[in-house]
Amino acid sequence: MKIDNDIVLRAARGEVTERSPVWLMRQAGRILPEYRAVRAQLSGFIELVETPDLAAEVTIQPVDILDVDAAIIFSDILVIPQAMGCPYQMIESKGPIFPKTIRNASDLASIHVADPGKDLKFVTDAIRITKQRLNGRVPLIGFAGAPWTIFAYMTEGSGSKTFSVARKILYTDKAFSHQLLDRITESTIAYLKAQIEAGADMVQLFDSWAGILGPEQYAEFSLRYIERICDAITEVPVTVFAKGAFFALPAMRNLNCRTVGLDWHTDIRTAREQIGPGKTLQGNADPCMLYASPEEITRNVASMLEAFSGTPHIANLGHGLYPDTDPEHVKHFIREVKAYKHRV
Ligand code: CP3
């Protein structure tokens, strides 16, 4: 299907576009009262994720309300552990927990490589419905967690500041670590291909916990698997967002992905030098900046976009929106990105 507003896709393919395209990580859910109203009809977050009709509705809300240039499918990175046989629960105002963790070879025997046709049909159904209802307005982004971030949740069993259980295992049981990462990687490739087949126009890998590894471990336990996924996904443009992994930017130059996401710790011009001219950059406003006054937001947008000027880029935040952000400030951010005049 032809896409009417395809500016995000064109930027992801490497075009310098007539204005900066914009969407926001975690735009679906979190900040919109309209999202909370839909969620209140159900028992909780997971039921919403698994109800394709309503997942499609909250996916489209930010396109209607915030006027972003792309939709991202409403789901969670944790559907992959669940599809592998390691289910999660979402505890209100606390976050995810896993009643069963995967920490050694015998735990590994209890999980399998996900079969998206069977275990993740609610996501592909939500994508099909969303594509139909979007009717070509903007592209739809599919996503998955990067294998290391999924490994961190499956071994630790919950969120954590340090993920010291997950990191301990990298040191004490390398063989197991690589076996689990390998299965997550296979599951993720199959899952992303199923999302693309259902209609996702591009896909993003979220390596949210990249920054807790040192450079050597990151190369061995994360980047290697991201590389496998990027090599396998040839159908649509791939974005890699590795939060905190500024040290890996030079290595990402050679990754088979189209776009690299930057967090707000990263200087845009330095990242461009490290990655070279061949890729699109995405990011990287501090989500906390959206608490600032409209004037301050305008100033920050201008300095971010000036740093991107003349190179392929997609404006975004440097991590997901925080739940208590005022939607009016988000709308202002988006308007200012769209109105910014690049010097030619
Ligand atoms: O970007 C989008 O808007 C699409 C939807 C989306 C969600 N989660 C919905 C969600 C996406 C892309 C994610 C990714 C995700 N999930 C990541 C990677 C991005 C990042 O922020 O680093 C991670 C680490 C998770 C795991 C996760 N899911 C946590 C730690 C939590 C609890 C804290 C929180 O609110 O983020 C979730 C729950 C979750 N996932 C919510 C939403 C809208 C809030 C749940 C609710 O409605 O109660």
Side-chain angles (χ1 to χ4, degrees):
M1 188 199 286
K2 191 186 162 296
I3 295 174
D4 301 329
N5 172 3
D6 65 347
I7 196 165
V8 167
L9 261 179
R10 284 190 282 119
R13 292 193 192 113
E15 220 180 272
V16 178
T17 46
E18 60 281 11
R19 64 161 171 88
S20 297
V22 59
W23 70 278
L24 303 179
M25 291 191 278
R26 313 299 296 272
Q27 68 188 21
R30 276 203 156 174
I31 65 156
L32 295 174
E34 292 84 351
Y35 163 76
R36 283 187 215 109
V38 173
R39 195 174 166 311
Q41 301 169 26
L42 302 169
S43 63
F45 173 74
I46 294 179
E47 196 188 346
L48 179 50
V49 167
E50 295 176 5
T51 308
D53 182 57
L54 294 178
E57 183 176 339
V58 299
T59 298
I60 297 171
Q61 282 175 346
V63 180
D64 291 333
I65 300 166
L66 303 175
D67 206 20
V68 283
D69 292 315
I72 179 163
I73 191 68
F74 182 82
S75 184
D76 202 89
I77 62 168
L78 303 178
V79 298
I80 275 290
Q82 173 174 280
M84 295 174 73
C86 178
Y88 69 109
Q89 298 169 358
M90 196 61 75
I91 310 297
E92 194 66 49
S93 69
K94 269 192 77 185
I97 58 158
F98 291 84
K100 172 177 95 176
T101 52
I102 309 300
R103 292 182 177 170
N104 53 46
S106 88
D107 295 337
L108 203 57
S110 73
I111 60 165
H112 54 272
V113 171
D115 172 358
K118 203 165 109 256
D119 307 311
L120 292 155
K121 192 167 173 297
F122 54 87
V123 181
T124 49
D125 284 349
I127 289 176
R128 285 198 178 85
I129 298 170
T130 305
K131 281 295 285 180
Q132 235 168 30
R133 290 196 199 152
L134 277 175
N135 195 25
R137 281 167 71 194
V138 291
L140 177 62
I141 303 170
F143 71 91
W148 154 248
T149 288
I150 298 300
F151 175 101
Y153 281 107
M154 289 174 86
T155 51
E156 194 85 24
S158 67
S160 160
K161 279 212 171 82
T162 57
F163 279 93
S164 49
V165 175
R167 290 194 296 123
K168 172 182 168 184
I169 293 171
L170 298 184
Y171 286 104
T172 57
D173 202 344
K174 251 189 181 196
F176 160 80
S177 299
H178 281 300
Q179 281 165 357
L180 178 53
L181 286 164
D182 180 72
R183 280 197 208 180
I184 297 169
T185 301
E186 287 310 305
S187 302
T188 304
I189 291 171
Y191 178 44
L192 289 173
K193 285 189 179 283
Q195 293 186 50
I196 294 162
E197 162 129 11
D201 299 293
M202 51 196 286
V203 295
Q204 173 158 326
L205 282 174
F206 287 90
D207 206 356
S208 304
W209 297 107
I212 61 175
L213 297 182
E216 256 179 55
Q217 279 195 326
Y218 192 70
E220 177 174 357
F221 296 106
S222 186
L223 208 49
R224 198 206 270 198
Y225 294 94
I226 290 177
E227 198 167 54
R228 243 168 76 187
I229 297 171
C230 290
D231 289 345
I233 304 297
T234 52
E235 301 86 343
V236 298
V238 178
T239 299
V240 173
F241 171 64
K243 183 164 184 299
F246 57 88
F247 52 79
L249 289 175
M252 287 189 184
R253 192 183 187 115
N254 302 318
L255 217 50
N256 240 331
C257 69
R258 275 286 345 137
T259 301
V260 173
L262 307 177
D263 60 30
W264 70 90
H265 307 277
T266 308
D267 177 70
I268 290 171
R269 292 180 177 90
T270 309
R272 176 52 78 194
E273 276 167 32
Q274 291 176 323
I275 287 176
K279 291 197 193 314
T280 301
L281 297 180
Q282 174 176 278
N284 76 340
D286 180 353
C288 270
M289 189 270 290
L290 297 175
Y291 297 118
S293 66
E295 298 71 35
E296 183 69 11
I297 292 174
T298 301
R299 202 186 59 71
N300 275 275
V301 164
S303 75
M304 172 176 84
L305 296 184
E306 197 191 334
F308 279 132
S309 264
T311 67
H313 68 277
I314 299 168
N316 204 313
L317 302 175
H319 198 196
L321 275 168
Y322 296 134
D324 63 345
T325 310
D326 182 344
E328 290 309 316
H329 286 216
V330 177
K331 287 182 201 168
H332 182 74
F333 175 83
I334 289 161
R335 271 196 307 267
E336 291 300 292
V337 169
K338 290 183 168 181
Y340 181 82
K341 296 269 178 281
H342 288 272
R343 271 176 290 186
V344 278

